[in-house]
Amino acid sequence: MATIFPVRTGVGRAEIPALCAALATLLHGREPDVVLCEVAGPGPPGVATVEALARLRLTAQRHGWQLRVHGMTTELHRLIALLGLTATLPADGDAGP
């Protein structure tokens, strides 16, 4: 069963280490599965949002989990594509690594 992990669209770079630590704590000792990063919040996503998702993916991988982005808006999808991370940060339901 997938695990939901919320990420605000307006996340700042300074918050990323705490997000990764929270995800690591959540996943530690659990049977690997899929983490769905639920992206929501006021305002448009920025580069820091994409950076947070990429670093959360690395955290998930270190614990043997896969990460998918749930609730991806067109704007976030375009930003991820612009940064060349479409295969790295697949939307929930997309095929990906």
Side-chain angles (χ1 to χ4, degrees):
M1 180 175 196
T3 298
I4 306 291
F5 189 80
V7 178
R8 291 181 308 106
T9 54
V11 68
R13 281 199 169 99
E15 299 170 77
I16 295 172
L19 277 174
C20 292
L23 181 61
T25 299
L26 178 66
L27 302 181
H28 181 74
R30 295 178 62 191
E31 189 68 28
D33 199 354
V34 175
V35 175
L36 294 179
C37 280
E38 179 76 48
V39 180
V47 173
T49 306
V50 177
E51 181 181 346
L53 292 169
R55 290 183 53 190
L56 287 167
R57 180 178 186 258
L58 291 173
T59 300
Q61 281 185 312
R62 286 185 192 113
H63 287 84
W65 289 63
Q66 294 181 10
L67 182 136
R68 300 281 186 263
V69 181
H70 185 70
M72 188 182 297
T73 62
T74 301
E75 187 173 16
L76 179 57
H77 191 272
R78 287 181 181 158
L79 185 55
I80 288 170
L82 178 68
L83 296 170
L85 296 171
T86 303
T88 302
L89 296 172
D92 184 30
D94 285 354

